[in-house]
Amino acid sequence: MYVVSVINYKGGVGKTTVTANLGAELANRGMKVLLIDLDPQASLTFGFYDPDDWRERLRDGRTVKRWYDGLRGGTAAVTLGELVVTPGPANARLTGAGRLDLIASHLQLVDIDLALARAVANGDEYDAELFRVRGSLAEGLHDDALGSYDMVLIDCPPNFNVVTQSAIIASDHLVIPAKADYLSTLGIDYLHGNVRELVDQYNADARRFATTRRHHKVAPGVAGVVFTMIQLMAQRPIAAHQGYMDQVRALGLPVFPTVLRESVTVFATNTPRGVPVVLRDRTTSPVVRDELRQLTTEFLDHLQPEGAVA
Ligand SMILES: Nc1ncnc2c1ncn2[C@@H]1O[C@H](COP(=O)(O)OP(=O)(O)O)[C@@H](O)[C@H]1O
Ligand SMILES: [Mg+2]
């Protein structure tokens, strides 16, 4: 099972879009995929369930908020497996034996970040508690009920709070969606540095506090930066974008050759409801669909340098 976080400090760079479509395309190729929505804005969740559905069927019992609530004590612990739901319309479109499941987010997940941060800051056992919370998602993913997934994709919120940190610690790989503009490229270097610092600190803490053998050394690598919302001219990114893309390559980070073009008409709709673009009818957006499929192939290649594509 691969665990991959889709991450960037910035909002609106395509994290959720990339998560949904990578997941959908992998499921369409026969993989069992679990998406985890860690963003309290819940865009990924609302891509699959409309807000009324979410309120009636998911809000109280089946969101990732229950998992993080459980970490604070006082509320009944839950396993991640108990939170999984299977969005109907997207799964109805899958051609093979794959599956696309979701652990939904909650609009109040934002409070969890604050509450955890407070609990951690007030305790005498600051370092130990922080270590426990950072490692919690990695620990939770060892649930037997999740053993059949080939891929877990985590849609991260646009921050570096403790919930985001728990996603990074749980991950083997990171995918960084970015726009090719000045601030986005600055942010990537900064993010990469902070990830390295977090990982070093976690591994050092593991030597002090680890109580189970599951706290192995973590070493998430960057699978790639994917440039999104790119304007093309004659099938190439416009010069302004190209310059920033070259700068990111110069940082030494892998960059996916396929870029996702800007296509507001395609991405602004959720029709048919609950179906990611890559699973929609071929006729509606063939070019964008092909880009998303190519990106998925490159993504698998970056995870598996041996070329053994699932
Ligand atoms: N390639 C694209 N072209 C045009 N609009 C896009 C593209 N990718 C995403 N969008 C739109 O941009 C907005 C932000 O994308 P989203 O994936 O939600 O970003 P994030 O998760 O990083 O905040 C959404 O409305 C989405 O539909
Ligand atoms: Mg998002």
Side-chain angles (χ1 to χ4, degrees), residues 42-61:
S43 308
L44 183 68
T45 300
F46 293 139
F48 291 104
Y49 290 87
D50 71 46
D52 289 338
D53 244 12
W54 176 82
R55 209 172 298 113
E56 279 165 33
R57 294 168 54 197
L58 307 183
R59 182 184 64 186
D60 296 334

Side-chain angles (χ1 to χ4, degrees), residues 2-15:
Y2 288 107
V3 182
V4 180
S5 280
V6 181
I7 186 165
N8 193 315
Y9 284 127
K10 285 182 67 71
V13 295
K15 290 184 296 297

